[in-house]
Amino acid sequence: MQALRELPAVHRLLDDPAIAPYEALVGRDALREAIESELRHARGTHVVPAYAELVARIGGRIGALAAQSLLPVINGTGIILHTNLGRAPLAREALDAAREIGSGYSNLEYDVLEGARGSRYARVTSLLREASGAEDALVVNNCAAAVLLILDTFAKGLEVIVSRNQLVEIGGGFRLPDVLERSGATLVEVGATNKVYLRDFERALSPKTALMMRSHPSNYSIEGFVNDVDAGELVALGARAGVPVVEDLGSGALVDLGEYGLPRERTVRDAVAAGVALVAFSGDKLLGGPQAGIVVGAAPAIARLRSNPLLRALRVDKLTLAALAETLRLYRSRESRERIPLYAMLGASPDSLRARAGAYVAKIASARIVESEAFVGGGALPKHGFPSIAVALPGASSQRIAARLRAGKPALVARIDERGVLIDLRTIAPEQDALAIAAVEDALR
Ligand SMILES: *Cc1c(COP(=O)(O)O)cnc(C)c1O
């Protein structure tokens, strides 16, 4: 047995080649803490393990730590809003606001001028009104919660008319018919899968009709022999019958993606302008902000949502509100909007991606620059890939290389096609390039 004074110094362990790489995984503070805990343990038990044994134990502690944590991943898939990888990365401004508000007290529900209780939602509401053209707005935990709140408020014990071509399941098992059932409403399906006419809605109206509901088909589309009813026609019918139209827009674009060479995706403003009473959408899809469910619409309808006791169970916290408000402020000009990572990624030119790919192939001998296709993801424009550039790692062992990339620190998630492992640069921030190159070099070693 060795003497306690033979225990290695913390800095020597921090720099040990078997331990130092964990810094990228768990951060320096956690690494130091793991080392110090192991040294304390040795001192406490008066048993000094051999150096290699000590290093192995520290590695074990860090492994356990890493398994408990959310870890950063480099997204080389080319799918910008990748639900499994956390959807929209946040803008620096949004993160700074969340950090500042989260690290102390705030005026979350306090009116500093009056010295009295204020509204949690007031500030973000005015930004949402500005961004959508709606009279009023409300924020809950996610879009699924927003839909649930709408149905619970307006349709409990009553009927909701939905077109058959919009009764879809989106990812994560969210099915409109199931949510309807949970909220105590009765679904009235109209039309055929491919063809729906206004008269189908008209015939289904009854004294028990609470709402007519539209839902974005997300990752699903019907082509060919089809007919649909547009929101304006439905709103006109609803006005005659005294039945509000509500819409689950899902992705919730605040701007026309045509600016980025993509097909026009219905925007929140379009739905509001068509007279839809309540429009629900996500905060972390095309808005590019934190996870949230946003409802915008007519003031009396939002007021009814606000008075539903269920809102208390769906309410968002201060970090979300701070990050959402800052994200919305960035929409005031195209230039500031591109500080939202989603829009920086959409706006990156193929030439700029190609130039960055050059840095990869300069360092990685086997790598090639290839043309690729990126996708928006998040249920928006599922069929529409748009031009991108990838770094390809050719070779017979694509599965093995991809697995090694995923096991790296940080993990890099890539795509595989007949050209090999593809790392799409569209979804990698330029600041991450050095890290991604090192991850590839490690995986190929
Ligand atoms: C994504 C999506 C939802 C769910 O949104 P969350 O914010 O993840 O709850 C609901 N409806 C549609 C149409 C969607 O695309």
Side-chain angles (χ1 to χ4, degrees), residues 182-219:
R182 290 306 299 232
S183 62
T186 303
L187 168 67
V188 178
E189 300 176 39
V190 296
T193 305
N194 58 331
K195 290 213 173 202
V196 187
Y197 301 95
L198 193 62
R199 61 175 183 271
D200 295 323
F201 283 91
E202 212 162 353
R203 269 195 227 117
L205 285 166
S206 87
K208 294 197 79 182
T209 309
L211 299 170
M212 291 192 281
M213 178 149 190
R214 290 168 53 85
S215 176
H216 193 290
S218 294
N219 294 318

Side-chain angles (χ1 to χ4, degrees), residues 255-265:
V255 293
D256 178 5
L257 297 181
E259 277 187 48
Y260 297 93
L262 290 164
R264 191 165 168 39
E265 169 87 1

Side-chain angles (χ1 to χ4, degrees), residues 87 141-145 147 168 170 174 215-219 248-251 281-285 291-293 378-379:
R87 289 195 187 153
N141 263 324
N142 52 32
C143 186
V147 172
V168 298
I170 61 157
F174 181 85
S215 176
H216 193 290
S218 294
N219 294 318
D248 172 11
L249 204 52
S251 248
F281 56 100
S282 292
D284 55 351
K285 291 184 179 174
Q291 179 189 304

Side-chain angles (χ1 to χ4, degrees), residues 10-279:
V10 174
H11 68 85
R12 178 173 167 213
L13 288 162
L14 271 172
D15 293 338
D16 187 285
I19 292 179
Y22 287 118
E23 188 176 331
L25 192 64
V26 296
R28 192 153 180 100
D29 288 348
L31 199 58
R32 180 183 290 276
E33 176 53 32
I35 293 170
E36 285 173 350
S37 304
E38 202 52 53
L39 293 177
R40 267 199 304 277
H41 179 76
R43 280 190 214 101
T45 55
H46 295 277
V47 178
V48 179
Y51 183 78
E53 167 68 16
L54 193 59
V55 168
R57 284 195 201 167
I58 293 166
R61 269 183 198 263
I62 297 163
L65 202 67
Q68 294 165 2
S69 317
L70 276 172
L71 298 172
V73 165
I74 299 175
N75 178 6
T77 64
I79 299 167
I80 300 182
L81 295 171
H82 199 305
T83 296
N84 302 153
L85 303 183
R87 289 195 187 153
L90 294 178
R92 178 168 300 278
E93 285 81 352
L95 290 167
D96 287 349
R99 184 182 301 111
E100 191 182 350
I101 294 303
S103 61
Y105 299 104
S106 63
N107 61 343
L108 180 66
E109 290 187 356
Y110 188 72
D111 185 326
V112 284
L113 295 180
E114 297 286 330
R117 190 184 167 138
S119 157
R120 164 180 297 251
Y121 301 105
R123 283 164 291 271
V124 79
T125 297
S126 60
L127 287 162
L128 284 166
R129 281 206 306 258
E130 188 185 324
S132 67
E135 288 172 5
D136 204 354
L138 187 61
V139 182
V140 291
N141 263 324
N142 52 32
C143 186
V147 172
L148 182 66
L149 182 65
I150 291 171
L151 294 174
D152 184 85
T153 306
F154 289 89
K156 199 178 254 169
L158 297 169
E159 295 173 355
V160 179
I161 308 176
V162 187
S163 153
R164 282 203 173 82
N165 67 7
Q166 296 183 348
L167 282 175
V168 298
E169 172 174 326
I170 61 157
F174 181 85
R175 282 184 178 173
L176 191 53
D178 298 343
V179 181
L180 264 158
E181 193 184 318
R182 290 306 299 232
S183 62
T186 303
L187 168 67
V188 178
E189 300 176 39
V190 296
T193 305
N194 58 331
K195 290 213 173 202
V196 187
Y197 301 95
L198 193 62
R199 61 175 183 271
D200 295 323
F201 283 91
E202 212 162 353
R203 269 195 227 117
L205 285 166
S206 87
K208 294 197 79 182
T209 309
L211 299 170
M212 291 192 281
M213 178 149 190
R214 290 168 53 85
S215 176
H216 193 290
S218 294
N219 294 318
Y220 171 79
S221 74
I222 318 174
E223 282 165 76
F225 190 56
V226 295
N227 192 69
D228 213 346
V229 176
D230 77 43
E233 289 177 277
L234 208 55
V235 167
L237 172 63
R240 289 200 298 279
V243 174
V245 175
V246 299
E247 180 158 351
D248 172 11
L249 204 52
S251 248
L254 291 179
V255 293
D256 178 5
L257 297 181
E259 277 187 48
Y260 297 93
L262 290 164
R264 191 165 168 39
E265 169 87 1
R266 183 173 168 76
T267 64
V268 175
R269 199 171 271 280
D270 292 340
V272 170
V276 173
L278 292 170
V279 184

Side-chain angles (χ1 to χ4, degrees), residues 335-351:
E335 192 197 341
S336 61
R337 189 206 308 149
E338 291 193 354
R339 296 211 288 273
I340 301 173
L342 164 69
Y343 288 97
M345 289 174 190
L346 283 174
S349 69
D351 283 348

